[in-house]
Amino acid sequence: MCGIVGAVSTRNIVPILVQGLQRLEYRGYDSCGVAVHAAGALQRARSTSRVAELMEQVTADHIEGTTGIAHTRWATHGAPAVHNAHPHFSHGPGKEAAGRPARVALVHNGIIENHDELRAALEAKGYVFNSQTDTEVISHLVDSLYDGDILEAVKSAIGQLHGAFAIAVFCKDEPHRVIGARAGSPLILGVGKDSSENFLASDAMALAGVTDQIVYLEEGDVVDLQLGKYWILDKSHKAVAPGQRPVKTVVAHSGAAELGPYRHYMQKEIFEQPRAIGDTLEGVQGIVPELFGDGAHRVFKDIDSVLILACGTSYYSGCTAKYWLESIAKIPTQVEIASEYRYRDSVPDPRTLVVTITQSGETADTLAALRHAQRLGMQQTLTICNVATSAMVRECKLAYITRAGVEIGVASTKAFTTQLAGLFLLTLVLAQSKGRLSDEQEAAHMKTLRHLPAALQAVLALEPQVISWAEDFAKMENALFLGRGLHYPIALEGALKLKEITYIHAEAYAAGELKHGPLALVTSAMPVVTVAPNDTLLEKLKSNMQEVRARGGVLYVLADADTRIESGEGIHVIRMPEHYGPLSPLLHVVPLQLLAYHTACARGTDVDKPRNLAKSVTVE
């Protein structure tokens, strides 16, 4: 979501700040801005256009400085507008404040839940608000507490904040100093290659090419950046001893974001899936608990059930894994939407393996749900995650790191299929730990896994047929998706992809539920996408398809080669290259991704940056 970049240096850091924002554009934003300390005063530029336009504004206004902060905002409090864009300034209290030079500049990721009462208290002190944001409350609060030391003001201010935040602050009266703090939102420290500079960012990718020396700040940390030095305080505001927050070398390749021959990042990432799956499974020679970390053997022996916590696309990968875990490993499995689980009463079981699934490892609701489960006494935790250095990986006992690479498009594709690969490995390892996986079964599953990249490549060759479907869908405003068994979550994911980037209203149902309500919607204007693998539910699914045809509905069917489903009047069939057994969901989801992508292209929507959505959801 929102992105933060900050720097203290002896050189002009505006190009570094703006370039950092450009590298965070994939997270999604609707405004951007930069502020610097220049010639004893604070200067600022803000825009509701893209970062490239912000750079033009900065250049035209000759904004330069050696200390500064920058931000990309995804609107929560207040509409996307320049007066709501970050950085926010505080000029002090009183009606005459607008005529005074700004004293405090601040950027913020997260949501402050008690901003209304803080705003009222600050207004009573004479502070005038120029935005609807909760962020401006923090800037005025810091200013109201400032007494010559910006660190002390920030420490006092964050003690009054309720909610989640990562902030970066600097003051007119203290050049070459930036304060950062985090609670519930990610923030990292970048140690400059040149001993005269240091950096802050919400994502290591923002600092690619600037520094690869990264310190991951922990929950509650406050950091004081100065020229060539920095100090970290923990959540109790005690100085952190050297080595307690180690400096790690993190290679964040900016080249991963290059489009190459593709029209959009989403298309590129769909076609990267064979490689991403191959990379995710690289080095897996057999089914052993150590794939998930030291101590996994003991943990897996001690658990009786699995609880999966996730959001969005990751939730659907968890729903698919439930079928695998219960049918192959014979382990009772519950899948919960993280934002629901964390706020409801549930029955904890210390012998449950809590599995979180997240692309970024920083998803606010999933992190909160994990911590809620831990507070309830469930300490056996594992994450399937794409970022090895993320908060989720640090907070879980075990982990499997998928290797999808950087995913720029907001609508997740390769992250989803690599999650499924990791979850299938988890299923096999748990089945083995429980004595439910024979050597012959393991060998057969391993053979299928190794063939996955080639099988996915064959599915991608179906793109021309999918494009012909997309031409029909581009004219529609509604669609139904049907699936049964472990392909029902794939129908859900297909509907999500279509609605995310085409803005077509799409819903998915377990096909057996069709006659229990959704059938009332079926007309010739309602295309019905059906996922039809050759499994034990195929004949039942064919009956559901006949229900659609009897009401004049038009079917678009992804059918395995031996299903004996043929194209005809009112039915369009794309034949899948092969039936893939339990791993069939990884193949069937790819044409659904392509359908959403090409329909969006035909409708002319912003494929990689759909309206109202963000890539890394770090607020509730």
Side-chain angles (χ1 to χ4, degrees), residues 421-438:
L423 288 163
F424 192 74
L425 282 176
L426 176 63
T427 299
L428 299 182
V429 169
L430 288 174
Q432 184 192 68
S433 297
K434 301 298 183 183
R436 295 161 189 160
L437 186 72
S438 67

Side-chain angles (χ1 to χ4, degrees), residues 107-258:
V107 293
H108 161 230
N109 289 352
I111 290 178
I112 303 305
E113 295 171 353
N114 61 330
H115 68 96
D116 282 335
E117 49 262 50
L118 290 173
R119 179 184 288 252
L122 289 162
E123 285 176 333
K125 293 180 179 180
Y127 282 89
V128 176
F129 285 81
N130 298 304
S131 77
Q132 291 80 49
T133 68
D134 53 344
T135 301
E136 192 180 8
V137 170
I138 316 175
S139 63
H140 287 325
L141 180 61
V142 170
D143 182 87
S144 73
L145 296 166
Y146 184 72
D147 189 23
D149 187 334
I150 189 64
L151 174 62
E152 292 302 317
V154 170
K155 286 163 56 180
S156 297
I158 61 178
Q160 299 182 41
L161 302 180
H162 301 161
F165 58 84
I167 60 173
V169 193
F170 71 99
C171 177
K172 176 181 72 69
D173 300 334
E174 298 182 71
H176 297 122
R177 193 180 193 191
V178 171
I179 307 300
R182 64 153 297 188
S185 288
L187 193 66
I188 63 164
L189 160 66
V191 181
K193 296 177 182 177
D194 184 326
S195 60
S196 64
E197 59 187 17
N198 287 302
F199 306 91
L200 280 177
S202 50
D203 188 321
M205 191 173 178
L207 304 180
V210 177
T211 181
D212 59 1
Q213 299 299 293
I214 303 298
V215 177
Y216 289 90
L217 300 176
E218 296 188 5
E219 186 74 359
D221 279 356
V222 179
V223 61
D224 184 347
L225 267 66
Q226 298 187 32
L227 287 176
K229 53 191 175 183
Y230 63 86
W231 293 267
I232 300 174
L233 308 179
D234 64 17
K235 61 186 177 182
S236 301
H237 296 167
K238 294 180 180 178
V240 172
Q244 284 189 311
R245 302 287 187 274
V247 179
K248 298 183 178 181
T249 301
V250 176
V251 180
H253 293 292
S254 57
E258 294 173 0

